[in-house]
Amino acid sequence: MKLLIVVLLSLSISGIAQKIPQGNPKRMEDRILALGRFGANPEGGVSRVAYSEADIAGRAYVMGLMKNAGLEVHLDAAGNIIGRRAGKDNKLAPIAFGSHIDSVPGGGNYDGDVGSLGAIECIELLNEGKITTQHPLEVIIFQNEEGGLIGSEALCGILPATSLDLVSNSGKTIRQGIAELGGNVEKLSEAARKKGYYHAFLELHIEQGGILDKKGINIGVVEGIVGINQWSVTITGKGNHAGTTPMDQRQDAMVAAAKLTLAINRAATSVPGRQVATVGRIQAFPGAPNVIPGKVIMTLEIRDLSHEKILSVFAEIQSQGIIIEKETGTTIAYTLTNENLPAPTDPRIQSLVAAAAKELGLTTQLMPSGAGHDAQDMATIAPTGMIFVPSKNGVSHAPDEYTSPQDMANGASVLLQTILKLDKQTLN
Ligand code: HGY
Ligand code: MN
Ligand code: MN
C-alpha cells in the first residue's frame, strides 16, 4: 500500500498525473474552416455581419459544437450564447472565457473565431483529460462585437438604451437584431451580470497587428485594450448645379469633408503616442455626378489606451473643423455613436498567462491591444485577461487574415492552463 502512495505522490509531483491535454491543431483548423463557410466571400474571407443570415447560421454551428462538448447552452436576453460546464463546487463564481463570431463586412476568418473556437477547444480538452474544475465554467459567444461590443456591453449592464436604435452593418437596428437572435429587448436588464458574478474572464484573440508574427513570438500577454470613440459627422453645405455654379460660389460639403479628413489625420499624427484616428465611411448626398453635394455623412473613430488622449485629439479636430466651416461655408455637426473606455487587464492574470505559456515552452511578449474587444467591457465587472496569437503579416479585417493551426492550438493550450491556474487562485 505504502509503495502505491509513494508512486501516486511522485506522479502528481512530476505532473504526469496532472498531464493537461494541449490544443488540437487539426480540430481547430477544421472548425475554423467550417465556420468560415458561413458568410464566405468569393474573394476569400467572410462577411458574417451581426444579425445577418450568415451570422445566425454560424451561431447555430457554434452552438452545436458547444452542445456536443457537453455544455448546457442558453441565450441571454441580449442574444449572447452562454455554455455552462458544472464545477465540483457550483456555489463558486464561474470562470468565463470566449469571444465573438460576427465579422466586419469583407473581414477575415480568424477575428473572434479563434477565441470562440479556442474556448470550445478547452472544454473538449477538459473532457478528454477527464478534468473537472472547482469553479463552474462559462463559454460566452458575444453578439455583435464588431458593431460596438454590443453583446458584452449588455452582459455588463452598460449598453446605452440609445444604442438599440443604431443601425448595424446588416441594416437592422440593434433592437431588431437582438430579436432575430432570439433575445428579448424587454428583459435586457436580466442579461446584466453584476461585478463579482464571475471569478475571472479570459479572451483568446488574434493580435490583428504584426508584432508577434514579425518577432516570431508565440503568445501576446495583453496589458490593456484601447478605448474607442466613434462619431457620426454630418457636414451641411448647399446642393447646387455642378455645371452652372461658379467655383467661388459653392458651399460644397464634399470639399469640407475632404479637408476635415486631412485635418483628422494631422490631429492624430501631430502629437506623440500610439493614438489612431480613422474615417471609415463617407456618403455624399444626393450622390449624383452633376450635383454639388449639399450634405456629407462620414464616420470618425479615435482610439488610444488613454481616454483623455482620445478627447484631446477630438478637441483638436473640432477646432480645425471651425476653420473649415468658415473656409467652405458649411456647418459640421458631431454625434457620438459609440464609446468603449480603455481597459487595463488584471496584472495577476497577466502573470498567470505568462507562466502558462512558459510551462508550455512558448515565448511571450507583454503588449497593448490596438483593437477593441469584449474583454474591455468584461473588465468592468471581473478580473480580466487577454491572450494573443500571431496574425500572419499583421493583417486583419481583410480576406487574407490568417493564423496557423499550431498558433491557434497554442492559444487554446495557454487559455486552458490559465483557466486551471485561475481555478486554484483566489482573486478577490
Ligand atoms: O474594431 C475592432 O477593433 C475590433 O476588431 N472590433
Ligand atoms: Mn475581434
Ligand atoms: Mn474585429
Side-chain angles (χ1 to χ4, degrees), residues 19 71 108 166 174 212 285 305 376:
K19 180 105 185 76
L71 290 172
L166 276 179
I174 305 290
L212 297 177
F285 298 91
L305 275 175
Q376 71 197 94

Side-chain angles (χ1 to χ4, degrees), residues 100 104 111 145-149 205 208 226 228 230 301 303 370-373 396-397:
H100 65 96
V104 292
D111 174 359
E145 186 274 349
E146 297 293 358
L149 311 183
H205 204 284
Q208 297 184 288
V226 291
I228 306 178
Q230 292 173 340
E301 183 191 87
R303 302 185 184 206
H373 299 286
S396 181
H397 280 190

Side-chain angles (χ1 to χ4, degrees), residues 45 148 154 159-160 207 222 281:
L159 178 66
E207 180 197 339
V222 177
R281 185 177 57 229

